[in-house]
Every structure is written in C-alpha cells, then in structure tokens.
C-alpha cells in the first residue's frame, strides 16, 4: 500500500507515506506541527503516549519518540514531570483554525509530500559556492558609485554581460543600451503591459493555452486580451491574423504549457504578420537553455529586433527566489520601460545584478547549465519511461526540453476528477484547464519533474496510475 491516512483519537490527521524518502518521524513532526499551528491541536492538551500513538499509526515507538523530542526542542510540545507531554500554549496563531487563512499554505505544502506541479527547478542544485565567489568578487571590486541609485535599465555590467550571453547563446540582437534588468518575468510583464497600452496597443493576443498571470496584468493595464489556439507547430498564425490584435505574447522556443516549438514556417508567418500590422511580438524565452536532444532554436528577437521585445528569466536556470529577469527592448520603448521601472521600485537590488553579471562573465552560468542538463534529461527520461509503462493512455506531447512534460488525458477522463483523485492520494499535479483562455479541448496534465529525484518521479507516476483507476472505477 502506498500511504496510510489515519485520524487518531486526539484529533490529529496524519498522512504517512511509507514509501517516501522523507523519514516517518519527519512526516509525523510535520503533521503535529501543522495541527498545532492551525489550532486543531489545542494548547495545553495532553498528547497521547508515544506507545499509544505508535500503535494507532502502526509505527515503531522510537519514531514517535523522535518526533516528540524534536517538537519539544522546537517549543511546540512541553514535557511534564510525570512523563506526559502536552501542547505548548500560545503557539497557535490568534484566530487560526483549519480553513482560516494564515496557516493554510504551509499545511498544503507539507501535507502533499509529492509535488509534480510545474515550474520548480531543483534549487538544491543551486551553485552556492560559485555564486558566493561572484558575490565576494563584486563586493570587493565594484566601485562605490554602484551602490547609488542606478539607471532604470540596471547595472551597466549586467546589461553588458546579458547582451553578450544572449547574443551568443540565444541569437538575440541585444546591445547593453536596450537591455533592462528586472525582477523576473513577472515584473517584465508588469512593466511591459502599461507601457505598450500607452503606446497604442489595444488588443493583445496570447497563446491558448498559456500562463494566466500575463493575461490578468494585461487586462489590468486596459488591454483587451484574445486567446489564439496553439497547434503542434505553435500558435495558429491564420487565427492570429483574424484576431486583429496589435501585439502578441508567445513562447516560441518551448510553448508553455504544451511544450511544442514554433515551426520555422510559423516563425516566418508570425514575423510577416507583425510587419504587415506594425505589431509587437513579446517573446517569453523562459526555459530555452534546457533543450535535451538538440540545440534550441534561436530567439525570434534576432530576426526582428525592432518588432520583438524579448524577455528571459533566471527562475528556471538558477532559482526563482533570485527574482532575476531581463528584457531586450526595441529602442522606441526602452526609455518608457526604464522610467516605469524607476517609478515602481527604483531598480533591482544591485549586488545581485553585479553578482549575476560576474557569474555570466566568468563562465559559471554555462558550467551550471552543462551540469544540470544531464540531470534534468535523466529525470525526464525516467518520467517518460514510467509513463509509457504505467499510464500508456496518457499522451505526452512537445519536445525534450524545459522542466515539465505535458500529456493529454484520454478524451473521456475529466481532468478535475483526475487531479482531485491524485490529491487525495498525496500528489499535487496541475491540469491544463487553468491555462485556457477561451478554447476548450480535452484535459491534460502538466508534470513538473525537475525538482524530483528519480524514485520520486516513478512513485508519482504510480499515483497518477491509481488516480486514473479511481476515476475510471468511480472510486
Ligand atoms: C511561461 C512562463 N514564463 C516565465 C516564467 C518565469 O517567471 P518569473 O521569472 O517571474 O519567475 C514562468 C514561471 O513559471 C512561466 O511559466
């Protein structure tokens, strides 16, 4: 049996996953800590003896003792003279109760121990030592003036290093003057949308399916948004032409989420459309560095630097918490975007910018990518093999790239039910429904494999199998 869920008399809901690489005492600690934080386990209440809880949960007593000791050391539990243990008072957040705001996110993360959700690189592989070397170097060597307010485009060192890197690796046509550093792609979108809205863009086309955040930000900036269907060759350019949009947001190197590549014919037609309509192409190049079978196609930007506003991020290659992103902006829009960047936050943190510049310049970024590609490729291969073996009715599409696989569900299987069944079994997985902007099609799953060890990936696919069976069998 995969996992066992148990509600012990004490009101404690414990979901133990016997096959998890997370030790049982840690799983138990998480459940008890969560119960205390959310108020399910009341302050002052006496906890069951380690022997009884061990019996209820089918664990060895040592596991429970270890969990109790840890939580006592952390101050969640207090051991009393006479050998019993109680919940510390005052630990529950005021007003917190299951289902009430503040304490919920942690419990969701903790309860679902296997997470196939998209978008997370393996941050345990972050190149800390190399990053530290870059930090040390820039802190030692940068001129004092770099610590003042900077140009809205960012530190000159970073703009130069990014222009070099992007031109070399992604085939862009960047100069340090039209690079703008920002806090991830999220901020790129937040800066771009108001600026293009005040520069004459009225209707923005987006790929359907695609990420919804940009759509919300575009609408908030006053743009009308239209979804354009995605085919296996990328966006349907004929449908785009009919849409009368003035700008489009695309992911040409690796369509998000379906994983296809914009074909060379479609690239040509897209650029012709932009020229005919005097339209702007927003290119989201979020994960092109991870292509596992061949060299990725170059960025569209290189073909039409006046028509394409290019955006990239370190969130997939290094870590999302860095909040490092960049744009290569057509000359006519650079000043407006840089001015808005100054207005909203006076520029991104400069030490990070300088460290990243050094990291790019000294080759550490290339080295990191060379190290990570085989790791992710192996995980992807494990996922594909496990899917072929265990869930052959899923239909994976797209190229060998990035940090996720997208797979269609059989047409008769409702996506929401599959996702709910997986969750009940302790697996977080995303569906395609949330990425749709008007078109409807069969359901599909996004399986983010990058941060999972190979055995976790196999187990995750096993849970998908059981979730499908649950739905098929009406369970
Ligand atoms: C399509 C797409 N583009 C870009 C990003 C990166 O966003 P950010 O740089 O804000 O972390 C993501 C993150 O998941 C994404 O899904």
């Amino acid at each position: 049996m995969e996992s066992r869920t148990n509600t012990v008399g004490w009101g404690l809901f414990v979901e133990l996953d016997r096959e998890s690489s997370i030790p049982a005492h840690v799983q138990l600690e998480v459940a008890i800590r969560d119960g205390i934080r959310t108020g399910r386990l009341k302050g002052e209440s006496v906890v069951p003896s380690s022997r009884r809880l061990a019996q209820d949960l089918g664990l060895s007593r040592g596991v429970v003792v270890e969990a109790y000791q840890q939580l006592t050391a952390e101050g969640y539990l207090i051991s009393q003279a006479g050998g019993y243990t109680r919940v510390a008072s005052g630990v529950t957040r005021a007003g917190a109760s299951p289902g009430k705001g503040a304490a919920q996110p942690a419990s969701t993360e903790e309860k679902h121990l296997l997470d196939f959700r998209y978008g997370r690189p393996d941050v345990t592989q972050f190149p800390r030592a190399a990053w530290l070397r870059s930090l040390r170097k820039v802190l030692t060597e940068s001129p004092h003036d770099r610590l003042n307010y900077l140009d809205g485009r960012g530190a000159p060192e970073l703009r130069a290093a990014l222009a070099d890197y992007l031109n070399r690796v992604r085939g862009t046509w960047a100069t340090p003057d039209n690079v703008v550093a920002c806090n991830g792609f999220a901020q790129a979108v937040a800066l771009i949308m108001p600026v293009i809205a005040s520069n004459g863009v009225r209707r923005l086309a987006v790929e359907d399916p695609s990420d919804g955040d940009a759509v919300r930000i575009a609408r908030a900036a006053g743009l009308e948004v239209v979804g354009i269907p995605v085919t296996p060759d990328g966006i349907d350019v004929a449908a785009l032409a009919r849409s009368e949009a003035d700008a489009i947001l695309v992911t040409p190197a690796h369509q998000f989420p379906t994983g296809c590549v914009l074909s060379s014919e479609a690239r040509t037609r897209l650029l012709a459309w932009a020229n005919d309509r005097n339209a702007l192409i927003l290119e989201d190049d979020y994960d092109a560095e991870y292509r596992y079978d061949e060299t990725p196609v170059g960025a569209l930007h290189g073909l039409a630097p006046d028509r394409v506003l290019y955006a990239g991020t370190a969130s997939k290659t290094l870590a999302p918490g860095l909040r490092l992103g960049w744009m290569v902006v057509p000359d006519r829009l650079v000043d407006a975007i840089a001015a808005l960047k100054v207005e909203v936050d006076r520029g991104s943190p400069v030490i990070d910018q300088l460290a990243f510049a050094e990291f790019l310049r000294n080759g550490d970024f290339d080295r990191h990518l060379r190290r990570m590609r085989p790791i992710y490729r192996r995980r992807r291969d494990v996922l594909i093999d496990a899917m072929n073996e265990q869930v052959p009715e899923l239909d994976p599409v797209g190229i060998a790239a990035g940090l996720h696989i997208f797979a269609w569900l059989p047409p008769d299987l409702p996506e929401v039910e599959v996702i709910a069944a997986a969750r009940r079994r302790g697996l977080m997985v995303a569906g395609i429904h949330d990425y749709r902007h008007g078109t409807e099609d069969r359901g599909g799953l996004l399986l983010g494999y990058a941060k999972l060890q190979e055995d976790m990936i196999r187990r995750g696919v096993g849970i998908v199998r059981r979730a499908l069976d649950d739905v098929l069998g009406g369970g």
Side-chain angles (χ1 to χ4, degrees):
M1 214 172 110
E2 183 76 47
S3 67
R4 183 168 146 185
T5 303
N6 223 326
T7 309
V8 266
W10 179 40
L12 177 64
F13 181 76
V14 185
E15 208 170 84
L16 287 174
D17 188 339
R18 314 272 155 175
E19 289 167 30
S20 172
S21 59
I22 300 169
H25 72 90
V26 175
Q27 296 186 44
L28 184 57
E29 276 161 41
V30 166
I32 298 177
R33 199 182 290 114
D34 191 27
I36 295 173
R37 283 189 188 142
T38 55
R40 263 195 320 260
L41 303 179
K42 299 276 177 280
E44 302 292 334
S45 61
V46 174
V47 309
S49 72
S50 51
R51 189 179 319 260
R52 218 198 82 206
L53 189 58
Q55 241 169 24
D56 283 352
L57 295 175
L59 292 169
S60 78
R61 184 164 166 237
V63 168
V64 180
V65 169
E66 200 169 346
Y68 280 3
Q69 279 170 348
Q70 178 63 29
L71 293 166
T72 306
E74 290 175 9
Y76 287 92
L77 299 179
I78 295 176
S79 54
Q80 302 282 15
Y84 64 93
T85 302
R86 63 182 169 77
V87 175
S89 55
V91 176
T92 308
R93 298 176 65 152
S97 66
K100 252 199 201 169
Q104 285 303 299
S107 68
T108 312
E109 282 287 327
E110 289 163 358
K111 217 174 99 192
H112 295 279
L113 296 172
L114 237 165
D115 189 352
F116 258 147
R117 281 176 306 172
Y118 163 71
R120 321 285 169 95
D122 187 347
V123 290
T124 67
Q125 302 283 338
F126 183 77
R128 288 174 186 243
W131 192 261
L132 191 60
R133 271 198 307 277
S134 291
L135 263 180
R136 195 186 302 279
K137 184 166 163 64
V138 300
L139 279 171
T140 315
E141 295 178 9
S142 297
H144 293 312
D145 198 41
R146 285 294 174 273
L147 297 172
N148 278 321
Y149 288 119
L150 294 179
D151 185 309
R153 292 168 300 175
E157 290 86 345
L158 179 57
R159 292 191 277 118
L162 277 170
D164 277 355
Y165 168 77
L166 295 170
N167 294 347
R168 172 172 60 86
V169 173
R170 299 298 303 125
T172 54
W173 196 309
T175 67
D177 284 343
N178 61 357
V179 172
V180 179
C182 56
N183 302 338
F185 180 71
Q187 189 181 42
V189 168
L191 297 173
I192 292 167
M193 296 307 170
V195 166
I196 62 174
S198 55
N199 272 266
V201 173
R202 293 282 161 267
R203 183 175 292 177
L204 174 74
V206 296
E207 294 166 318
D208 190 355
S210 64
D211 189 50
D213 291 347
V215 170
R216 283 183 286 278
I217 293 170
R219 289 204 171 112
L223 295 170
E224 189 190 334
V225 179
V226 284
I228 308 293
V230 168
T231 73
D233 282 338
I235 189 132
D236 178 345
V237 184
L240 173 64
R242 289 192 297 275
S243 76
E244 305 204 332
D246 323 292
I248 180 161
L249 173 58
V250 272
T251 46
H254 189 218
Q255 204 277 327
F256 182 80
T258 62
C260 59
V261 182
L262 189 67
S263 69
S264 58
E265 296 76 29
R267 284 160 78 93
T268 309
R269 277 187 275 121
L270 180 61
L271 289 169
W273 165 82
N275 281 329
D276 288 350
R277 249 195 103 65
N278 195 19
L280 182 68
I281 299 173
L282 309 173
E283 178 173 24
D284 175 6
D285 201 33
Y286 64 108
D287 72 357
E289 283 89 350
Y290 290 132
R291 175 95 197 237
Y292 308 121
D293 49 359
E294 52 186 76
T295 315
V297 284
L300 275 180
H301 183 271
L303 299 171
D306 290 339
R307 290 263 160 247
V308 178
L309 195 168
Y310 173 93
T313 176
S315 290
K316 310 297 171 197
T317 48
L318 282 168
L322 287 177
R323 306 311 305 136
L324 280 169
W326 48 87
M327 289 173 265
V328 187
V329 183
D331 293 345
R332 65 184 183 285
L333 296 173
V334 174
D335 288 347
I337 289 195
L340 184 55
K341 172 73 178 154
V342 171
E343 204 174 302
V344 298
D345 65 7
R346 301 282 184 274
S348 298
V350 70
I351 306 282
D352 296 345
Q353 292 188 50
L354 295 173
F356 187 40
E358 173 58 25
F359 194 79
L360 284 165
R361 230 176 7 226
N362 68 19
D364 278 339
F365 191 58
D366 292 322
R367 272 187 285 281
H368 174 68
L369 294 175
R370 275 201 299 277
R371 194 171 67 79
M372 292 311 297
R373 274 189 206 107
I375 296 176
Y376 288 153
R377 184 178 45 221
R378 253 194 326 273
R379 291 179 185 175
R380 181 183 187 280
D381 290 347
V382 167
L383 176 55
I384 290 279
D385 286 349
M387 286 170 74
N388 286 340
E389 240 169 63
Q390 300 194 54
V391 282
E393 64 268 61
L394 289 193
D395 179 15
V397 288
I399 53 163
L403 309 179
H404 76 288
I405 284 177
F406 174 73
W408 293 113
L409 285 165
D412 51 332
L413 269 187
E415 178 185 301
V416 278
E417 286 182 29
V418 174
I419 291 172
R423 275 191 190 204
R424 277 195 299 277
R425 290 181 169 275
L427 177 74
M428 308 277 278
V429 62
I432 198 172
H433 180 79
D434 293 341
Y435 298 96
R436 293 211 181 274
H437 312 295
T439 62
E440 271 311 322
D441 202 335
R442 54 206 266 219
L445 300 179
L446 271 68
L447 301 163
Y449 52 80
K451 72 177 179 115
L452 296 176
Q453 302 289 331
E454 293 168 22
D455 61 325
M456 300 284 264
I457 294 173
R458 290 191 198 93
R459 288 193 36 241
V461 175
I463 299 179
V464 174
R465 169 73 273 153
R466 286 186 281 285
L468 294 182
D469 291 341
D470 288 347
V471 175
L472 289 166

